[in-house]
Amino acid sequence: VTENTDKGWTTPKRVESIPYHSVTSCLSPDANSIYVRCDLLNELEQRRTPLRQRKYSFRRCTRTPQGWSVPQELGPPFSSSGQYGGFSVAADNSICFKSKGDGFCIAPFVNNTWEQAIKIPMEMGNLNPCHPGIAPDGSFLVFYSIEPGAQGGTPTDLYLTLRRPDDT
């Protein structure tokens, strides 16, 4: 973590409580939580196991007066298996993530827990969307996609989609 102070950016410091095998991380908009997706396999098992067969866990560290807490499992509706292409957190702690199929899902945060994830209705055309970045107020998403027809996973483009009044 690094912070922007009146004297400039601080020297980055590792958050020791986050496991070394975290795959993706995201800072909450209020900067009081770090969300991580962890690979549940040890380093040796990671080398032997194809990506699509690995098991993952979503966890959250909260900021405390002493530093960052130990990561806590988020639990349902987040699956412990499957390959997701990143995630991000809105100001209300709802989590937007890549679904197992095409597109994105959002798990609303209500009464201090995450409700069942809902697929975000979005016209994708021939895109392969990954790593959503949801606006703090949920009004738009930024994501990247491999260009249609590109070989080997590159090149990619960034895309922006705006939320319509009917929530599509």
Side-chain angles (χ1 to χ4, degrees):
V1 173
T2 182
E3 297 186 50
N4 192 3
T5 68
D6 57 350
K7 296 178 182 172
W9 288 95
T10 60
T11 302
K13 294 179 191 166
R14 178 173 167 73
V15 177
E16 294 298 329
S17 63
I18 295 178
Y20 71 92
H21 52 278
S22 64
V23 177
T24 307
S25 61
C26 177
L27 184 66
S28 65
D30 67 3
N32 287 319
S33 295
I34 297 175
Y35 293 82
V36 294
R37 182 171 62 102
C38 302
D39 191 327
L40 297 177
L41 303 175
N42 66 38
E43 196 171 348
L44 180 60
E45 292 170 320
Q46 287 176 22
R47 282 183 264 169
R48 295 181 186 165
T49 308
L51 283 175
R52 295 199 181 277
Q53 294 176 9
R54 291 187 183 173
K55 302 227 181 268
Y56 298 95
S57 170
F58 276 97
R59 299 177 183 206
R60 174 174 65 170
C61 301
T62 55
R63 190 186 294 265
T64 70
Q66 295 76 33
W68 293 96
S69 71
V70 172
Q72 299 296 311
E73 179 78 36
L74 296 187
F78 305 101
S79 171
S80 64
S81 63
Q83 175 66 28
Y84 297 102
F87 64 96
S88 63
V89 181
D92 66 359
N93 287 319
S94 295
I95 297 178
C96 178
F97 59 95
K98 170 105 168 86
S99 66
K100 287 185 181 180
D102 291 335
F104 302 114
C105 290
I106 190 154
F109 190 72
V110 179
N111 296 326
N112 209 30
T113 190
W114 285 272
E115 293 188 343
Q116 183 63 40
I118 355 174
K119 187 156 175 70
I120 297 173
M122 188 184 315
E123 299 169 23
M124 288 293 173
N126 58 355
L127 298 178
N128 181 16
C130 292
H131 298 281
I134 192 167
D137 66 358
S139 62
F140 65 88
L141 277 174
V142 175
F143 60 93
Y144 85 84
S145 176
I146 298 167
E147 288 181 6
Q151 298 296 315
T154 56
T156 59
D157 279 324
L158 286 176
Y159 293 86
L160 168 73
T161 185
L162 304 174
R163 178 193 241 161
R164 294 178 179 151
D166 67 356
D167 283 340
T168 58

